[in-house]
Amino acid sequence: MTTIATTTPRTTHADLQSWVDEVAALTQPDEVVWCDGSQEEWDRLTTQLVENGTFVRLDPAKKPNSFLCQSDPTDVARVEDRTFIASEREEDAGPTNNWVDPAELKATMTELYRGSMRGRTMYVIPFVMGHLDATVPMFGVEVTDSAYVVTNMRIMARIGTPVLQTMEELQAPFVKGLHSVGDPLVDGRPDVPWPCSDTKYIAHFPETREIWSYGSGYGGNALLGKKCYALRIASAMARDEGWMAEHMLILKLTSPQGTTHYVAGAFPSQCGKTNLAMIEPALEGWSAEMVGDDIAWMRFGPDGRLYAVNPEFGLFGVAPGTGMHTNPQAVRTIEQGNSIFTNVALTDDGDVWWEGLSEAPPSHLTDWKGNDWTPESGVPSSHPNSRFTTPAKQTPMIAPEYDNPDGVPIDAILFGGRRKTTVPLVYESRDWAHGVFVGATLSSETTAAATGAVGVVRRDPMAMLPFIGYHAGDYMQHWLDIGAHADPAKLPKIFQVNWFRRDEEDGSFLWPGYGDNARVLKWVVERLDGTADAVETPVGLVPTPGAIDTTGLGIGDEQLAKALRVDVEDWKAEVPLIEEWFARIGDRLPAPLADELATLKEHVEQA
Ligand code: GDP
Ligand code: PGA
Ligand code: MN
Ligand code: MN
């Protein structure tokens, strides 16, 4: 780590240097630090964060090299209502994104950034999403006044000197990500543990591939490589260049016979991606390995198949609900340390705890707001969107293919969400266009991953509603175009799953989920191989009663039948909701999707 005056040229990458100079002149930090990504830099920053009261160092015997961070209670999730796609033309942002004229937004935000880093250090983080040795490495640079961001970025992305050197050699283009917590230290005011501002903007300029983020220090608002670059900006790049940037886990599955399949799954935030990516199959002989848990970039390979890479380097996982009985792989990953925990509770012996980590809560904790907590407190000890940031490579079940810059060929795509009713445990789409319809009409109950109401059903196309960097109708068309470009036999088959259906009588989950989801994966794989039975229903192909392997399953046939049931009345009620959604997309709704809706309507009316 080198401290420099803002005017000292630090890189031979001319465009980067002039941008950094420009940002420093605007934001007026006390110093500019170029991040090298080293262990020494991590040690220095984490020590400094402990001294500032931002981090608590956990007991190294329990969680080596790990830290707890409690954010400002107002800055705990992505802020969708403050997230903007500032495309040149309003119609290109579409009906699902907030839009402001880019010149106007830049003018507004420039005034916010003016002097916003006073009294602080400005860090320059060169990073690459995906592999540095990819055919086209995808560079970015985040400039930030948050050391919390730097430490999290070091876990979540490949950062530092090797990246900068390659950028310099290639004089490579890069995505510019400007981030400020918006809390300058002026008039001798001391710092607070979690600086942020009540004014927040998470702004994207898709044409110029720029990100301007202001006012929040949290996750997807502030770690700009993740949602802002790898989904919103990359989705616009992918549309222009014929590939796909998707909100998907990537899983490698090996059957008892030793055949391997790669499955991608798009579920909205807090709907089970990380859990499925780390599944320990409940079925004898099946094994699973993780390639990615949140984002997939997919491109056609020379053989005409779709290949997916995980552009990330770490996991930013939801803590509550993560325990040995649900996601043992995640527990083993974080136990190795080198992790940051945000908004969970602190135990009296210097470890972390959250709801679901163990069955019996400790008798005393310091909760995520810093208050004394006991099981009698009557409030959760951890925020529902509390997170662990941990290196992907520490996952015991990481697939060796994670290191392959060419990625893995995807055999099946799962779309899933949280639906208490209507959507069966699993069904298969009839073909690509029908599968795109299933994805385009995906719906889910909202979660704590974003600020706002929880538990409200909304349409979330391909689980990308908060992450599409352009018009949602054009995005659906891009999916159809991908299909049109390919040999249908080489395209992944598309399925919908729903782990969250409830029993109408007692409200309990009909399906045990987690490791038992392997039973659904087995059916999916057998459908690919043409060996599993399915029955046609108005919505698609559902497993026949005997087609799901129930060996050792803790639920009875009757309950399984409820989980799989396609209720025509439910679907009759679903059709107008889909019509309403498509009406919102407007005249950029692709005609084949309107045709698919007409077919669904016909099917449910005839059933
Ligand atoms: P992600 O944000 O999509 O990665 O979602 P996670 O995998 O972190 O899961 C979010 C929440 O859903 C956690 O509280 C999990 O315990 C819960 N969850 C995940 N998979 C299942 C499942 O199969 N069944 C049920 N009932 N809950 C699940
Ligand atoms: P996620 O995103 O809920 O999809 O993991 C949250 C975030 O990045 O803040
Ligand atoms: Mn996500
Ligand atoms: Mn996740």
Side-chain angles (χ1 to χ4, degrees), residues 44-99:
R44 185 180 317 183
L45 289 177
T46 53
T47 302
Q48 184 186 310
L49 284 159
V50 169
E51 281 163 10
N52 192 46
T54 307
F55 277 3
V56 171
R57 187 183 296 277
L58 299 175
D59 179 350
K62 300 194 172 75
K63 296 280 183 309
N65 189 31
S66 295
F67 302 87
L68 168 65
C69 179
Q70 287 159 345
S71 81
D72 185 291
T74 63
D75 195 21
V76 293
R78 285 183 288 102
V79 283
E80 293 181 3
D81 58 333
R82 302 300 305 161
T83 299
F84 299 87
I85 300 297
S87 46
E88 293 292 337
R89 300 186 312 174
E90 180 170 10
E91 67 249 45
D92 292 337
T96 60
N97 286 309
N98 300 310
W99 180 85

Side-chain angles (χ1 to χ4, degrees), residues 226-227 247 269-275 293-294 315-318 387-388:
K226 192 174 176 62
K227 304 296 178 178
H247 192 201
S269 300
Q270 294 211 357
C271 293
K273 286 180 303 302
T274 300
N275 274 268
D293 86 313
D294 196 52
L315 315 177
F316 187 62
V318 178
R387 300 281 176 151
F388 53 83

